[in-house]
Amino acid sequence: MSDVKNIAQLIILVFVQVMFLNQIHFFGFASPMLFLLFFIVFPYQENKSALLLTAFLVGLVIDAFSDTGGVYAASLLFVVFVRPLFIRLFFGQNFVYQEINLFQVSFLARVMYIFLIAFLFHLLFSLFELFDFGLWLASFWKVLISTLFTVIVCLLSLYLFSSTKK
Amino acid sequence: MRQIILFLTRQKDFFVFLVLFLIAFAFTFNANSFQKSRYLHAANFVSGSLYGVTSSVSNYFNLNYQNNLLVDENKRLHQELLDIQRLKLQKVDVNTEVSFSTNQYKVLRGEIIKNSVNLSKNYLIINKGQKDSVYQDMGVISSKGIVGIVDKTSGRFASVQSVLNVRSKISAALKKTGHYGTLCWTDNSLNIVQLIEIPNVAPVKVGDTIVTDGRSSIFPKGIPVGKVKNFHLNQLDNSLTLNVELFTDMSNIQHVYIIKNREQEAIRELEKEIEKSIDE
């Protein structure tokens, strides 16, 4: 049952991302990446391969819609691969074996966790997309502003849709 | 052997990650090469159809603005038509006034179904493809100025490399004096592109109009590009770099025209022959 729910969630998130959020450009460039939320709140599992494969496929679908080759897929894969580090950092060692509940930690930890994942994603995204180190450094502030918008949108949706579960 | 298998199973996640990451990387690297174009076509058919549906809904809310654009253009074209008729009456040879013969270029109309301006390699998708005889390297303009160059085509759709793409290189010139340079985009800001390699003797002023210069076979001569916002001298090679504000608002375009150059093939072949003779 939870699998069905997860898949439905993922399809809705990708659809919203591709059809609406990717058309939004704050200041002409910053698009919030709401689909990251799925990989932010997804419970930690000992077997990471399934989640990695999911990330890869989701990335490729969004890539196909945005004509970006494999940029989404590569950055999302990397983020999902290093995610356990962040979980350990913010939820402590013993949380690794439980479900992540973002509402069990302080507001600051919650925001920092989302911020770090979003920041890493946007950083890698701009690097893979540009493949030019000089230009990459120049677009650093773009990464930062995009990250802020992603964090805001993710936090808002988190509060909006999790309030009943809490 | 057993050790190796044990090692592999213990590190399974890492290897899954590595393999998928390399595949994604390969896609990224091949994003604009020939091998990729087949994969993109299939994707373009699916995503293109879906975008067609959503854009038909969102276009509805934009009708007023787009109508005004088209009315403005009609007004301008009427004006030009009247001017040409007046010239004809005065028995002036029209062909010397208009920079291209009427038969050389064919104009098709298209609609943008997907647009992006936030990436560093921006592409648009238009609802015209091979079925409407749209092929690679055709110029795309809006009612106000240039938009981009057709990149890949499928049956019903084509992707257009936007002017706002770090790969774009379009030759353009100052309208007043004809000094030419290369138009490119260094990923700075929306609707601002750079015209580089302008000789420093060119008398540039802020507000000067930039047009395409017809040196390439993609755009006809004299299509408006934008106006000079500011400029500076390059210390390295003593050339001017102009920041050009595009006439077209790239984040709000819907109707475009695709320009087909009937003589493009002939020009290409000639260029190839020249290259060959240089090699020999």
Side-chain angles (χ1 to χ4, degrees), chain B residues 21-276:
Chain B
F21 194 70
L22 287 179
I23 295 172
F25 230 70
F27 276 139
T28 310
F29 262 114
N30 289 334
N32 260 30
S33 69
F34 176 74
Q35 292 90 329
K36 174 73 194 314
S37 60
R38 250 156 122 206
Y39 152 80
L40 232 183
H41 276 177
N44 258 357
F45 176 73
V46 178
S47 52
S49 310
L50 201 49
Y51 276 129
V53 174
T54 53
S55 78
S56 69
V57 175
S58 61
N59 285 354
Y60 185 79
F61 296 100
N62 207 7
L63 280 179
N64 205 358
Y65 175 78
Q66 298 294 341
N67 273 347
N68 283 338
L69 274 185
L70 294 177
V71 169
D72 277 350
E73 189 187 21
N74 264 348
K75 205 175 74 189
R76 209 189 65 232
L77 292 177
H78 270 299
Q79 188 61 50
E80 275 175 25
L81 189 67
L82 290 175
D83 285 349
I84 290 173
Q85 277 168 350
R86 186 174 49 84
L87 288 174
K88 256 188 185 161
L89 284 178
Q90 293 172 345
K91 302 250 189 276
V92 177
D93 186 4
V94 177
N95 279 337
T96 59
E97 295 285 326
V98 182
S99 57
F100 51 90
S101 70
T102 42
N103 279 330
Q104 191 186 345
Y105 294 98
K106 192 184 170 200
V107 178
L108 307 160
R109 59 163 289 224
E111 251 177 64
I112 286 178
I113 56 170
K114 194 240 160 182
N115 186 6
S116 83
V117 290
N118 61 330
L119 305 170
S120 52
K121 290 173 197 132
N122 291 305
Y123 289 90
L124 311 119
I125 294 183
I126 52 174
N127 66 348
K128 289 279 142 68
Q130 284 158 4
K131 276 184 190 155
D132 316 278
S133 67
V134 168
Y135 295 102
Q136 197 173 23
D137 283 343
M138 287 186 182
V140 178
I141 61 173
S142 74
S143 59
K144 284 189 174 162
I146 63 167
V147 169
I149 298 168
V150 173
D151 187 35
K152 283 179 204 119
T153 53
S154 65
R156 285 166 48 213
F157 304 102
S159 64
V160 178
Q161 182 173 300
S162 159
V163 201
L164 304 182
N165 184 316
V166 285
R167 285 208 179 109
S168 280
K169 291 217 162 21
I170 296 165
S171 68
L174 285 163
K175 192 182 183 184
K176 245 190 266 166
T177 59
H179 288 97
Y180 60 79
T182 309
L183 201 70
C184 52
W185 190 55
T186 48
D187 191 33
N188 276 327
S189 45
L190 180 67
N191 291 338
I192 308 285
V193 293
Q194 282 70 40
L195 185 61
I196 56 169
E197 293 158 4
I198 291 282
N200 63 353
V201 291
V204 186
K205 278 202 300 288
V206 170
D208 279 358
T209 307
I210 304 293
V211 294
T212 58
D213 76 341
R215 275 187 303 143
S216 75
S217 52
I218 295 169
F219 290 106
K221 194 174 176 177
I223 303 279
V225 174
K227 57 175 193 281
V228 177
K229 202 180 174 219
N230 51 48
F231 59 92
H232 61 88
L233 188 69
N234 240 346
Q235 296 297 342
L236 278 176
D237 55 354
N238 256 355
S239 69
L240 293 172
T241 297
L242 281 55
N243 282 322
V244 179
E245 188 169 10
L246 292 175
F247 287 132
T248 315
D249 179 3
M250 293 298 290
S251 59
N252 192 0
I253 30 177
Q254 196 173 319
H255 297 280
V256 290
Y257 304 98
I258 305 140
I259 303 173
K260 183 178 188 175
N261 185 348
R262 289 180 209 266
E263 286 161 22
Q264 194 171 39
E265 272 298 301
I267 294 171
R268 281 279 155 76
E269 268 171 33
L270 199 61
E271 278 173 353
K272 254 183 215 161
E273 266 175 41
I274 292 169
E275 264 174 36
K276 224 188 262 171

